[in-house]
Amino acid sequence: MAKKFIDIMDTTFRDGLQSVFGGRVLMNDFFPAVEAAKMAGINHFEFGGGARFQSLYFYLREDAFEMMDKFRTIVGPDANLQTLARGVSTVMLDTGSKELIDLHAKMFKKHGTTTIRNFDALNDVENLKYSAERITHYGLKHEVVVTMMDLPPGCHGAHTVEFYEKTLREILDSGIPYDSICFKDASGTSNPQKVFETITMARKLVPEGTHLRLHTHETAGVSVAAYLAALEAGVNGIDLAAAPVSGGTSQPDILTMLHATKGMNYDLGGLEIDKILTYEKELQHCLSDYYMPPEATRVSTIIPFSPMPGGALTANTQMMRDNGIFDRFPEVIAAMTEVVKKGGYGTSATPVSQFYFQQALNNVMQGPWNAIDPGYGRMVLGYFGKTPIAPDPEVVKIASEKLDLAPTTEKALDIANADESKSLATWIDKLKAESIEITEENIFIAAACHEKGIAFLKGKGELMVHKLSDMKKEEEKKEQFIKEQGSGKMGSGSYTVVVDGQKFSVQVAEGNVDIQVTAVNGESAAVAPVAPAAPVAPKVAAAPVGFEIKALLPGNVWKIVANPGQSVNEGDVILILESMKMEIDVVAPKSGVIKSIDVATNDRVTEGQVIALLV
């Protein structure tokens, strides 16, 4: 009897890169491995969408649409190229209007996509309807999703087999068009028995011949067991990745799964071990210069209690490293437990997982519930749809007060569609104001990535890639600097120095040479013997006049709201920082007058830095 064919989607170049490197891998560095994967017989790839859309503009100075076009050229016209979308949010962290949802499907079809996997982290089926319609309208295959995870201990009311059956029945009853159904566990926390029972339930519920898939991560250490359970229950497809971006926070390795199914009645995509070994060797070579965070390669025992998706975990740890606060990560991941419990049990998948993480970060850095992350706050207030259970009433009250928003039961799509800032016209006007070419691609980039999208389109995007060779060069520079400082040696050349408040231009050179000293304005400064001066008491820095307002998090100054001389009341916003993809309001701790703003827009600030004075 022939073995059952199981379709394998290779997630290496989307979820794999995202889960291990936070998505920060340049396209030309990994394209040779795409060619190797094709030669190994792989014909189904996840190649874009999700967080990998924004990461190219945020960190790589690369265009996601260009990357997708080149990927399609490499693998040929027949490959199934799949992307990830978040229902009413598509590839954005916020909800989108109907115009933006339509433009997402249109642009992804134009740039080589075959299939879009479409999910809503709240399992609110209303959030899937319009996006599904537009995906199928443009001739794309639609893979509708039920999102999964295990809840932290002590949580009840959702994420059971019964809850997933209710969600699946709503999808089927709604008439949403679909080509396949995926059960997606971004945190990898669903226990294998629940996976088995869920797939068994789904197989009985859906029409015969329906393609069912399971997606999970190794983050919690049970992914292979979960896949074996799903295979036994009747799935038609699973997602795997290639080393070195497999295991750990990513999907199980292709070779690992081939080994795990030896002697069983499954044909994993017709893949052969020798060819996969060659492919993985090429991929390892392509990525050999990239810094691999230790947490990306490990199973985490705390993840079942604080379900952080692999695709978000390393993105957040990389941001914490960039901002010099990585030492606080254990506290933040532990704080997620309470944030999940009180947030209404949305599945820990983007954007909800990011809301959880950012609220946990706020609770650690600024005190429990003293600051509400706007995404988390809007979620518990209902602006992203209906959460699986009602959020904690006290948290809802705090969020409403902090964000000055009333709770809502209105549909997320209707709210977004009424928001003029999410219209195509608004983003066209922004591009015109910045003298940027008006194309559908540019409109979508700006609408999805906001200021960072505009910066990319103006050629001012940031490059934040962690390569070992670059890190070595930086370390050598530091060592050389320390060595020169320790020896008291200064390099030869011209310097400006300040003596008793007066500037002088001096030259430094080795050996006994004639050096002239001049004032900076070019006039000669006579060098005369100076009599010994009387001892002078050391100067003591004057205490600042006013109340110091300090940055609670490292980041960049995004917007200055108040001006020196302006009267403010306690709680008024003085300026806004951008940190860890969050907008952090810096507020007046008491009423008074702004004496000074000690930073400028786009300045980088450190934790504890004085950024304003209040009198």
Side-chain angles (χ1 to χ4, degrees):
M1 185 176 71
K3 292 184 176 182
K4 180 180 179 180
F5 183 86
I6 304 298
D7 180 75
I8 301 300
M9 181 168 75
D10 184 355
T11 60
T12 297
F13 305 104
R14 208 294 301 176
D15 207 337
L17 296 181
Q18 181 65 36
S19 296
V20 174
F21 299 109
R24 303 188 197 188
V25 179
L26 299 164
M27 69 174 88
N28 288 330
D29 286 344
F30 70 75
F31 276 157
V34 176
E35 180 67 37
K38 174 188 174 185
M39 297 302 293
I42 295 173
N43 198 46
H44 187 182
F45 297 89
E46 188 179 38
F47 85 130
R52 267 288 290 171
F53 182 82
Q54 290 174 319
S55 66
L56 274 72
Y57 302 106
F58 283 15
Y59 308 118
L60 302 179
R61 295 180 187 165
E62 291 186 339
D63 181 7
F65 294 125
E66 179 187 355
M67 183 277 293
M68 292 162 68
D69 290 341
K70 290 182 176 180
F71 200 113
R72 171 58 78 184
T73 298
I74 293 170
V75 299
D78 298 328
N80 183 0
L81 295 187
Q82 189 160 318
T83 61
L84 186 67
R86 311 176 189 120
V88 72
S89 297
T90 63
V91 292
M92 301 176 281
L93 289 176
D94 198 0
T95 53
S97 64
K98 285 187 174 182
E99 290 179 328
L100 291 177
I101 293 170
D102 176 83
L103 187 58
H104 162 259
K106 183 178 182 181
M107 289 299 94
F108 276 59
K109 171 65 175 179
K110 177 180 177 180
H111 292 282
T113 305
T114 309
T115 304
I116 294 182
R117 175 178 288 173
N118 188 33
F119 75 94
D120 179 66
L122 300 181
N123 278 314
D124 185 342
V125 176
E126 286 295 330
N127 287 346
L128 297 172
K129 291 180 179 179
Y130 187 73
S131 53
E133 175 192 318
R134 302 323 292 165
I135 288 167
T136 54
H137 171 80
Y138 286 104
L140 292 154
K141 292 182 179 180
H142 179 230
E143 185 165 281
V144 71
V145 175
V146 176
T147 58
M148 300 178 69
M149 72 175 183
D150 265 19
L151 291 171
C155 296
H156 306 282
H159 292 287
T160 60
V161 178
E162 293 74 23
F163 173 75
Y164 300 139
E165 180 176 356
K166 174 178 175 292
T167 304
L168 181 56
R169 286 186 181 277
E170 288 178 5
I171 290 172
L172 298 174
D173 293 344
S174 72
I176 289 175
Y178 65 88
D179 296 273
S180 54
I181 299 172
C182 177
F183 291 85
K184 174 181 169 66
D185 185 350
S187 60
T189 53
S190 293
N191 67 82
Q193 181 61 28
K194 185 175 77 172
V195 168
F196 175 79
E197 293 177 6
T198 299
I199 300 299
T200 300
M201 170 274 297
R203 182 51 72 200
K204 293 176 181 178
L205 194 60
V206 301
E208 186 176 351
T210 300
H211 185 93
L212 297 180
R213 303 189 68 88
L214 178 67
H215 169 93
T216 191
H217 288 245
E218 177 60 5
T219 321
V222 295
S223 64
V224 173
Y227 275 157
L228 290 174
L231 289 170
E232 184 181 353
V235 294
N236 306 100
I238 57 177
D239 298 350
L240 301 172
V245 294
S246 56
T249 53
S250 182
Q251 280 69 59
D253 190 84
I254 298 171
L255 292 172
T256 299
M257 206 65 208
L258 286 171
H259 179 70
T261 54
K262 279 181 181 177
M264 302 178 75
N265 194 38
Y266 304 114
D267 172 6
L268 300 190
L271 301 179
E272 300 175 20
I273 291 175
D274 289 346
K275 292 181 179 179
I276 298 300
L277 282 167
T278 300
Y279 160 36
E280 292 199 347
K281 183 177 180 181
E282 177 62 32
L283 181 64
Q284 288 165 0
H285 174 72
C286 289
L287 301 176
S288 60
D289 194 29
Y290 282 85
Y291 169 71
M292 184 173 290
E295 65 273 11
T297 62
R298 298 172 182 162
V299 166
S300 173
T301 56
I302 199 174
I303 289 300
F305 314 106
S306 300
M308 169 53 61
L313 191 149
T314 50
N316 287 317
T317 57
Q318 291 286 53
M319 285 192 290
M320 293 186 82
R321 281 190 178 92
D322 291 341
N323 286 279
I325 55 173
F326 181 64
D327 60 307
R328 310 299 297 271
F329 176 71
E331 297 173 69
V332 176
I333 203 71
M336 274 191 61
T337 300
E338 181 184 21
V339 170
V340 172
K341 283 183 176 181
K342 295 187 175 182
Y345 298 172
T347 315
S348 194
T350 306
V352 170
S353 58
Q354 198 62 24
F355 300 160
Y356 286 155
F357 184 84
Q358 289 170 336
Q359 186 57 52
L361 181 70
N362 280 350
N363 286 358
V364 168
M365 303 297 289
Q366 304 186 58
W369 309 106
N370 286 335
I372 294 292
D373 168 65
Y376 185 86
R378 291 177 64 228
M379 178 185 72
V380 300
L381 292 171
Y383 287 84
F384 283 90
K386 185 179 179 181
T387 55
I389 69 165
D392 181 85
E394 184 61 27
V395 169
V396 171
K397 181 174 181 290
I398 294 170
S400 182
E401 293 172 352
K402 296 281 188 183
L403 301 183
D404 194 24
L405 277 176
T408 184
T409 57
E410 193 175 354
K411 293 177 182 178
L413 179 60
D414 292 341
I415 296 171
N417 213 44
D419 187 343
E420 185 62 27
S421 70
K422 297 177 180 180
S423 68
L424 293 184
T426 292
W427 290 102
I428 289 170
D429 288 344
K430 287 182 182 292
L431 294 181
K432 287 179 179 178
E434 298 288 349
S435 300
I436 296 171
E437 182 183 4
I438 308 299
T439 66
E440 289 181 314
E441 286 84 354
N442 287 355
I443 294 168
F444 190 78
I445 291 166
C449 302
H450 292 208
E451 287 76 14
K452 290 191 176 182
I454 296 289
F456 166 80
L457 294 171
K458 294 174 70 175
K460 297 179 179 179
E462 290 185 276
L463 181 63
M464 298 181 70
V465 177
H466 297 270
K467 286 195 174 186
L468 297 174
S469 55
D470 293 336
M471 294 166 72
K472 183 179 179 181
K473 290 176 184 176
E474 287 300 315
E475 190 61 32
E476 288 173 349
K477 287 181 182 178
K478 289 180 182 177
E479 289 176 358
Q480 182 63 27
F481 176 78
I482 293 170
K483 183 179 179 181
E484 290 180 356
Q485 291 294 305
S487 65
K489 179 180 177 182
M490 294 179 67
S492 297
S494 298
Y495 295 84
T496 298
V497 297
V498 177
V499 180
D500 289 337
Q502 298 183 42
K503 291 184 179 180
F504 294 89
S505 174
V506 301
Q507 298 176 51
V508 178
E510 293 186 7
N512 186 18
V513 296
D514 183 28
I515 296 178
Q516 177 152 16
V517 182
T518 64
V520 170
N521 61 11
E523 297 179 1
S524 295
V527 181
V530 180
V536 179
K539 294 181 179 179
V540 178
V545 180
F547 185 90
E548 294 180 335
I549 300 174
K550 300 179 181 180
L552 295 176
L553 287 170
N556 296 300
V557 179
W558 182 67
K559 186 177 183 181
I560 295 175
V561 178
N563 298 307
Q566 179 179 331
S567 296
V568 292
N569 296 317
E570 180 180 346
D572 285 353
V573 177
I574 294 173
L575 55 85
I576 303 172
L577 300 178
E578 181 195 40
S579 177
M580 300 283 294
K581 293 199 290 189
M582 297 185 290
E583 292 177 14
I584 308 294
D585 289 343
V586 177
V587 301
K590 60 180 182 178
S591 298
V593 176
I594 300 295
K595 178 177 176 62
S596 66
I597 300 291
D598 300 327
V599 290
T601 303
N602 296 323
D603 278 1
R604 185 154 188 82
V605 300
T606 59
E607 180 185 355
Q609 178 178 333
V610 176
I611 53 181
L613 286 177
L614 182 69
V615 292

